[in-house]
Amino acid sequence: MTVLLVGGLVGGWFAAASFQSSVQVAANAAPPPPGDIVAEVTFGALSEQITARSDVVRESAASVQVAAGSGDQSVVTAVGVSAGSELRAGAVVLEVSGRPVIATTGAFPYYRDLVEGATGPDVEQLQRFLRDLGYRVGGLGEFGPQTAQAVRRLYRDIGYEPTTREAPPEENPDQGAQPAPEPASGDVTVSDGAAPQGDTPGAGTPASGATMTGATPSAPVELVVVPRGELVVTGSLPAVVGATPNVGDVLTAENATITLGQGAIVAQAKVAVSVLPVLGEGMTATLTGPDGTVLEATLGAIPAPPTATGDEAAPVEVGVPLVTAQPIDGAWLGANVLTTITVTAVAGEALRVPARAVAVHSDGTAVVQRRESDGSFREVEVRELGRLGGTSAVEPVAAGALSAGDEVKVE
């Protein structure tokens, strides 16, 4: 009976505690009473910015093609000038299959192997290059003996032997047997196998005034050859090497290129075509390099939006030149650096609050409600410096009345 009595009392208490009237249910479903919305005061510039990436390159850049050699494969066996180094005329930029690839200047790439005796504009281009290096070449446009000697000297100066080949028979009429001239009156003729008569300078040698009959062999004529694959052409030198094939690479149409740069180091921001209308020459920007260094810059001339050409769609990204306040470090070459462009600058370094936190009285004074340590709010008069995107830049009229980290009420 006691157990039953206690169980009944506990059950009744639990039922009473769990029971809610309709008024209580409605009260529990109602939203909590509204509280104050506050925001933290921050400090910094108030501006609209665009971020982009910039390529750091030489002021002018070009890619030159390395012609394939005559063998089955053209393999890079050495790199003469590393990336970032200066390349001068006459230097060996690469060694391909054991042969040099020489940096030359000119208006067009060589389209054939140049052989001693050849003529044409390519011969003249080679001669002008050799002459600029200080070699004598003879008459321009003709690969004559003096030009051949200049080529020999060039190759030996860079540590290689020049390429030569035997002249064909039609170009070498003296090759083979040499007929002896008819003896003049009084000359002594010695036939093959006969011993000379009288005093002789030496065994088998005819006496003075005597001639030998029969054939006299002569050495074949060797012609100097400049293979087109051993010359790369660029408009002017010196230049800075950007990239080359690596040792062990088998040259193909895709990788047989050498990148060269000249002039100052410059940066070019890559921006979307859609933002070109809001950009203007002279806008400020910052570049953050790979080492964390920050450089101040301004935008150069803004390019016109590109248009589609033929079947190709218009590019979605264009390059905008940047003018830096200080020279760009050579270590940045080839880097892709973070760039921040300030499109709209409302205020410099200032206190920033939500625009809805600033109230303007009928007399024109602007105020914010700063929360005190006890949770109450105190009105602080401020000057509004400007607004951008729902944020206001302000400064307190009384020095020290508002600081970064304070909280203000947002109406």
Side-chain angles (χ1 to χ4, degrees):
M1 299 249 333
T2 302
V3 171
L4 291 175
L5 179 60
V6 171
L9 291 173
V10 171
W13 174 83
F14 180 79
S18 302
F19 176 76
Q20 289 185 335
S21 66
S22 58
V23 176
Q24 289 175 313
V25 171
N28 290 337
D36 296 316
I37 301 174
V38 296
E40 184 177 346
V41 180
T42 59
F43 183 80
L46 183 58
S47 59
E48 182 181 357
Q49 296 178 325
I50 294 173
T51 58
R53 308 296 297 185
S54 290
D55 294 329
V56 179
V57 296
R58 289 282 175 180
E59 196 168 19
S60 62
S63 293
V64 294
Q65 193 79 15
V66 180
S70 57
D72 294 337
Q73 284 188 332
S74 297
V75 182
V76 178
T77 49
V79 175
V81 184
S82 59
S85 301
E86 187 177 67
L87 178 65
R88 294 190 170 273
V92 177
V93 61
L94 290 177
E95 184 184 85
V96 176
S97 301
R99 294 295 299 169
V101 177
I102 305 169
T104 71
T105 53
F108 51 84
Y110 290 96
Y111 48 86
R112 60 172 175 166
D113 295 346
L114 296 180
V115 185
E116 186 177 351
T119 60
D122 50 351
V123 174
E124 182 176 344
Q125 178 171 273
L126 175 66
Q127 290 173 312
R128 292 186 183 280
F129 160 70
L130 291 169
R131 194 172 62 182
D132 289 344
L133 292 182
Y135 301 107
R136 293 183 179 181
V137 296
L140 291 179
E142 183 176 348
F143 197 148
Q146 203 163 7
T147 299
Q149 183 60 25
V151 170
R152 288 189 180 94
R153 288 183 54 197
L154 168 65
Y155 271 81
R156 287 165 186 167
D157 287 346
I158 61 175
Y160 294 84
E161 284 297 318
T163 299
T164 60
R165 77 181 186 197
E166 187 177 325
E170 63 271 17
E171 297 179 22
N172 189 14
D174 295 333
Q175 185 175 342
Q178 298 289 329
E182 290 295 327
S185 176
D187 286 344
V188 178
T189 302
V190 181
S191 61
D192 291 343
Q197 302 294 320
D199 290 337
T200 60
T205 302
S208 177
T211 60
M212 296 286 291
T213 61
T216 302
S218 65
V221 174
E222 294 291 329
L223 302 179
V224 173
V225 181
V226 183
R228 71 185 186 97
E230 295 184 10
L231 302 172
V232 290
V233 184
T234 184
S236 63
L237 291 168
V240 177
V241 177
T244 67
N246 299 313
V247 173
D249 286 353
V250 177
L251 296 183
T252 64
E254 289 72 29
N255 68 1
T257 56
I258 300 168
T259 304
L260 301 175
Q262 293 175 315
I265 302 173
V266 296
Q268 190 176 62
K270 301 296 185 183
V271 300
V273 172
S274 58
V275 304
L276 283 179
V278 303
L279 299 182
E281 186 174 354
M283 285 183 173
T284 60
T286 59
L287 287 81
T288 304
D291 57 354
T293 304
V294 177
L295 287 182
E296 301 294 328
T298 57
L299 295 189
I302 308 301
T307 57
T309 55
D311 295 333
E312 296 183 4
V316 297
E317 197 175 61
V318 295
V320 177
L322 294 165
V323 181
T324 56
Q326 297 177 340
I328 301 176
D329 194 322
W332 289 25
L333 270 174
N336 191 258
V337 301
L338 177 65
T339 304
T340 304
I341 303 169
T342 300
V343 177
T344 305
V346 174
E349 299 295 302
L351 295 174
R352 298 174 301 191
V353 299
R356 293 179 59 189
V358 181
V360 180
H361 293 326
S362 58
D363 60 359
T365 59
V367 297
V368 296
Q369 300 289 329
R370 188 190 72 188
R371 183 153 71 174
E372 303 295 296
S373 57
D374 61 358
S376 62
F377 290 90
R378 184 171 74 87
E379 192 174 86
V380 176
E381 185 178 353
V382 296
R383 282 187 288 270
E384 191 171 21
L385 306 177
R387 292 190 178 193
L388 179 66
T391 302
S392 292
V394 299
E395 64 177 8
V397 174
L402 189 68
S403 304
D406 290 344
E407 292 182 330
V408 293
K409 182 187 291 188
V410 179
E411 298 294 342

